[in-house]
Amino acid sequence: MMVEKPSEERKAEVGKKSFSIVSAVVLVLSMLATPFALAEEVTRESYKEQVEPICKVNTEANKRILKGVRKLVKRGKLKAAGVKFAKAGAALNRARGELAAVPKPSEDEAKLTKWLGKIKVEVTLFKKTAKKLKAGDKNGAQTLVIKLQHNATVANNLVLGFEFHYCRFEPSKFT
């Protein structure tokens, strides 16, 4: 026959089991969180050190890709110029993906997210300009190049405090 324990003893056993389970969960969570707590805080300087090489590669690629694009447009070789703009847009899109993967300083998260959004607009404008050029619409392409330059200025103004060198977008150098 089974002897029933008084209800207070049963409550004490249940309380001990619950405490043990909660303690084990807290211990496991604290062990998992330790690497994150020990990770260094991302600073503006460390962010800049990580993104400048990415931007340098993109800037050098755009110099190569867009070399002679003005002459092509002036000579009426709009399709060839359009191909160059499409390639430059693809290169910038790759760089944007790499930039987005870099951890941002927490105090600049919103600003850098907005900056990356402006870079995405740059990619779109490069692609639209390429389409206009391939379609033979020189005036439409010129309008988009003006928007491209304006957007680059806005993007650069967002991150003035970082004092970027290669991550300053200057499409007027190439277009």
Side-chain angles (χ1 to χ4, degrees):
M1 244 201 270
M2 197 175 204
V3 178
E4 224 177 280
K5 295 182 182 178
S7 64
E8 287 183 30
E9 283 183 35
R10 195 179 297 160
K11 286 180 187 178
E13 277 184 28
V14 170
K16 286 179 185 179
K17 286 180 183 178
S18 296
F19 181 76
S20 299
I21 292 171
V22 169
S23 297
V25 169
V26 169
L27 179 65
V28 169
L29 290 176
S30 66
M31 288 171 58
L32 291 173
T34 300
F36 297 109
L38 296 177
E40 286 186 38
E41 178 66 25
V42 178
T43 64
R44 277 189 176 187
E45 194 58 39
S46 66
Y47 182 79
K48 180 180 175 181
E49 288 171 6
Q50 289 181 10
V51 298
E52 281 284 20
I54 297 167
C55 294
K56 181 179 181 181
V57 169
N58 181 67
T59 299
E60 290 171 354
N62 278 342
K63 280 182 186 176
R64 216 176 35 259
I65 293 167
L66 294 171
K67 185 176 182 180
V69 76
R70 284 185 188 149
K71 288 181 184 177
L72 289 173
V73 172
K74 285 181 181 178
R75 292 181 186 159
K77 297 182 178 185
L78 302 181
K79 286 185 182 182
V83 169
K84 287 182 174 269
F85 265 87
K87 287 180 181 178
L92 181 58
N93 194 37
R94 278 190 300 278
R96 187 189 69 78
E98 291 177 37
L99 292 169
V102 175
K104 301 167 195 64
S106 56
E107 67 273 2
D108 293 311
E109 179 103 23
K111 185 181 292 189
L112 290 169
T113 299
K114 194 171 183 180
W115 177 64
L116 289 168
K118 292 294 180 186
I119 295 172
K120 189 173 184 177
V121 171
E122 291 280 302
V123 170
T124 302
L125 290 170
F126 266 108
K127 290 178 180 179
K128 285 182 177 181
T129 303
K131 284 183 183 178
K132 292 283 186 183
L133 288 168
K134 289 176 182 177
D137 185 359
K138 185 177 177 179
N139 290 335
Q142 286 175 330
T143 300
L144 289 170
V145 166
I146 291 167
K147 289 180 180 181
L148 185 70
Q149 291 169 344
H150 172 74
N151 189 72
T153 301
V154 172
N156 290 337
N157 287 342
L158 285 170
V159 290
L160 281 175
F162 286 84
E163 299 177 5
F164 288 138
H165 176 69
Y166 289 105
C167 289
R168 289 190 69 234
F169 296 102
E170 301 174 277
S172 59
K173 281 185 175 180
F174 314 116
T175 58

